[in-house]
Amino acid sequence: MSRKLVLNINEYVHSSDLHENSNQIKKNISKCSYPDNISRNDFDQWSIVSNLGNTLQQQMPVVEINTITSNNSNLDQNYRQNRTYMSQSKLNTSSRLEEKQKRRRPWFIWIISIIQLCVFIFELIYNWLLTTRPIETNLSLNPLFGPNPHVLINIGANFSPCMHAIDGITNNVSSTNFPCPNSATLKHTGCTLSQLCGYNGVSSTPNQWYRFIISMFLHVGIVHIVINLLGQLLIAGQIEKKIGIFRIAFIYFASGIFGFILGGNFAPDGLSRVGCSGSLFAVIALALLDLLYHWKKTKYPKIQLTIHLVDIIINFVLGLLPGIDNFSHVGGFVMGLLLGLAILGSPVNLRRRKKPKLFRPIMNDWNNPLWYEKLFYNRQRKWWAWWLVRFISLAVAVTLFALFTESFYSGRIKCSWCKYISCLPVNSWCDLGKLNVVNS
């Protein structure tokens, strides 16, 4: 048994000084006495067990630390993999959206363009039946190579006396004479307002409200419809691919109708207004918003912004010339801008979400959220502020639409200088289209 003690001491003592005195230590240990109730064999066994216990206690923290470190490394690796997967999924999603937009067909714009072309062919045929020629040869009546303006009124052009009461004009419908649809000059005034307006005639309070919609499908002449269809197919078709058929249809009709309502409030009552120019200016507003929303993803955005602004300014300036309804342009652009802000979503830089504050092991749950979490979870404060902007834009659009529609029938809004939005005060351009009552 003393040999075992000697071996244990030699295992735990490594110093050179102690090794020299090892023999003396061995002798002293052999002379040691043990308690009566514990034998030397028991003491040796107890010392070995205690040493093993101390060894296990020292090794346990190391094992725990190694386990936690390995778990943290695995979590970090999983987190990095999740981040990589999220970035790759975002890239894949954006690429899929771009491919989907390229494959999408602008069905609404195609259908509306075909309808407008068919309606224009009908205009020419109807003008032929009434005036024995498809195109008005008197360029003073129509310089754009199209039907007689009185024929357009009879078909459904936006003509105020057919749509609401006008003091001194519609008070006595049967006795007031207007140009006939088949008249080649303005001097031929042998028809009543009911005969001119058509659609079963009008009463002393005309209300052919559907002219706000029908007039969007009519065009003055060949030049007019060619310009509108080119802009419609080239610009509006691309916008429809990006925002979808329902949103483009809603903005198209709402903006076109509002342009005619605005003109009905301030334009001279004797002018007839047709065309989809208000809707096209709404599309121009949507294209401008789309450029601003995707500013960082657009090549040469400053150049494109300059082109957009120059195009808008030129069109507004051309709208000041006689025979062009600039109220439709301005009204369509304003309504398109407001509705675009309301229903097009938010700019791309505001759509990025904040980093999730969830515990890393449940990152997979964050990567597969529910539908309402996809819309609202982890949004930036600017995104919520933009929702306020969208709500205000929608409220302003609805208010303007209702306010000017009510004023069209009641004449509540009075504005003496608003006529200059659509004309220049030269050569009596702003007096064109005024109705004068002549007693005979």
Side-chain angles (χ1 to χ4, degrees):
M1 186 60 64
S2 62
R3 187 175 299 174
K4 292 182 180 180
L5 290 174
V6 171
L7 291 176
N8 289 333
I9 290 174
N10 285 331
E11 288 177 0
Y12 287 95
V13 178
H14 299 285
S15 175
S16 60
D17 296 334
L18 292 176
H19 182 69
E20 294 178 356
N21 299 324
S22 60
N23 294 327
Q24 184 65 30
I25 293 172
K26 293 174 185 177
K27 291 180 181 180
N28 293 332
I29 290 174
S30 61
K31 293 180 180 180
C32 290
S33 60
Y34 300 94
D36 295 337
N37 57 346
I38 300 175
S39 63
R40 182 171 181 173
N41 188 15
D42 295 334
F43 179 80
D44 293 337
Q45 187 175 2
W46 175 80
S47 62
I48 294 172
V49 172
S50 63
N51 289 333
L52 289 175
N54 293 332
T55 304
L56 290 174
Q57 290 176 357
Q58 292 175 358
Q59 290 177 354
M60 281 299 293
V62 177
V63 174
E64 291 177 357
I65 292 172
N66 291 333
T67 304
I68 295 172
T69 305
S70 62
N71 290 333
N72 287 333
S73 62
N74 292 332
L75 290 174
D76 291 336
Q77 184 177 2
N78 293 333
Y79 182 72
R80 286 193 295 270
Q81 290 177 354
N82 288 329
R83 290 292 300 274
T84 305
Y85 173 77
M86 289 169 60
S87 60
Q88 290 178 353
S89 63
K90 289 180 179 179
L91 293 175
N92 294 333
T93 302
S94 61
S95 62
R96 284 197 301 269
L97 289 175
E98 292 177 357
E99 291 296 329
K100 184 178 179 181
Q101 290 178 0
K102 292 180 180 179
R103 293 194 303 266
R104 186 181 293 171
R105 297 291 183 266
W107 291 110
F108 173 77
I109 296 301
W110 288 355
I111 293 172
I112 208 76
S113 300
I114 292 173
I115 294 175
Q116 290 170 349
L117 183 61
C118 293
V119 170
F120 183 71
I121 295 174
F122 171 76
E123 293 176 26
L124 299 180
I125 296 174
Y126 193 69
N127 189 80
W128 189 7
L129 294 175
L130 293 181
T131 64
T132 68
R133 52 185 178 271
I135 296 176
E136 178 58 52
T137 56
N138 187 353
L139 296 182
S140 63
L141 292 177
N142 190 347
L144 299 180
F145 307 103
N148 188 290
H150 310 133
V151 174
L152 289 175
I153 293 174
N154 191 255
I155 294 175
N158 194 285
F159 187 58
S160 294
C162 299
M163 303 176 69
H164 68 99
I166 302 175
D167 189 25
I169 303 297
T170 61
N171 295 341
N172 194 349
V173 176
S174 60
S175 62
T176 305
N177 293 328
F178 287 85
C180 295
N182 58 351
S183 62
T185 63
L186 294 176
K187 296 181 180 180
H188 186 194
T189 58
C191 293
T192 63
L193 182 60
S194 296
Q195 291 173 329
L196 178 62
C197 296
Y199 295 99
N200 297 324
V202 295
S203 62
S204 58
T205 56
N207 188 21
Q208 294 184 354
W209 57 267
Y210 39 82
R211 290 177 178 268
F212 285 126
I213 302 174
I214 296 176
S215 54
M216 295 174 60
F217 297 90
L218 302 177
H219 288 83
V220 176
I222 297 175
V223 177
H224 188 204
I225 192 172
V226 168
I227 294 174
N228 280 0
L229 288 184
L230 285 177
Q232 201 163 256
L233 294 173
L234 295 178
I235 302 176
Q238 295 298 322
I239 296 299
E240 182 183 349
K241 288 183 178 180
K242 294 182 179 181
I243 68 176
I245 185 172
F246 296 105
R247 287 189 286 185
I248 188 66
F250 175 72
I251 295 176
Y252 186 93
F253 283 109
S255 302
I257 293 172
F258 181 75
F260 287 126
I261 292 174
L262 187 66
N265 278 272
F266 305 120
D269 294 324
L271 292 178
S272 59
R273 299 177 297 276
V274 295
C276 59
S277 299
S279 302
L280 290 181
F281 270 81
V283 171
I284 293 174
L286 295 179
L288 179 62
L289 287 178
D290 181 71
L291 173 62
L292 297 177
Y293 281 13
H294 301 84
W295 183 265
K296 293 184 179 180
K297 293 185 177 181
T298 305
K299 292 183 179 180
Y300 309 111
K302 294 182 180 179
I303 296 177
Q304 295 198 29
L305 178 62
T306 304
I307 294 173
H308 273 78
L309 295 179
V310 170
D311 179 62
I312 293 170
I313 293 172
I314 291 175
N315 281 281
F316 282 154
V317 172
L318 292 176
L320 298 175
L321 297 176
I324 301 177
D325 182 19
N326 210 28
F327 289 108
S328 293
H329 299 172
V330 175
F333 184 85
V334 171
M335 186 56 61
L337 192 65
L338 292 173
L339 293 179
L341 289 172
I343 68 178
L344 284 190
S346 55
V348 174
N349 61 331
L350 300 183
R351 299 176 190 175
R352 294 194 299 267
R353 300 174 184 269
K354 296 186 295 184
K355 293 182 179 180
K357 298 180 180 180
L358 300 175
F359 188 61
R360 291 178 181 177
I362 57 174
M363 283 293 295
N364 290 329
D365 295 336
W366 187 83
N367 290 332
N368 299 303
L370 299 175
W371 66 268
Y372 56 86
E373 292 177 341
K374 290 181 181 179
L375 182 61
F376 298 110
Y377 193 73
N378 268 358
R379 291 292 189 178
Q380 306 178 48
R381 292 183 178 178
K382 294 180 180 180
W383 185 84
W384 291 103
W386 191 259
W387 264 94
L388 180 61
V389 173
R390 295 174 65 181
F391 177 77
I392 294 174
S393 300
L394 182 61
V396 172
V398 173
T399 302
L400 289 177
F401 203 100
L403 183 63
F404 282 100
T405 301
E406 191 274 337
S407 177
F408 175 75
Y409 291 101
S410 66
R412 188 184 305 277
I413 299 177
K414 304 293 183 180
C415 181
S416 59
W417 60 266
C418 291
K419 61 182 180 180
Y420 299 113
I421 296 176
S422 187
C423 66
L424 292 175
V426 295
N427 297 327
S428 301
W429 284 1
C430 296
D431 295 329
L432 295 175
K434 286 186 176 181
L435 292 176
N436 296 319
V437 180
V438 178
N439 296 323
S440 57

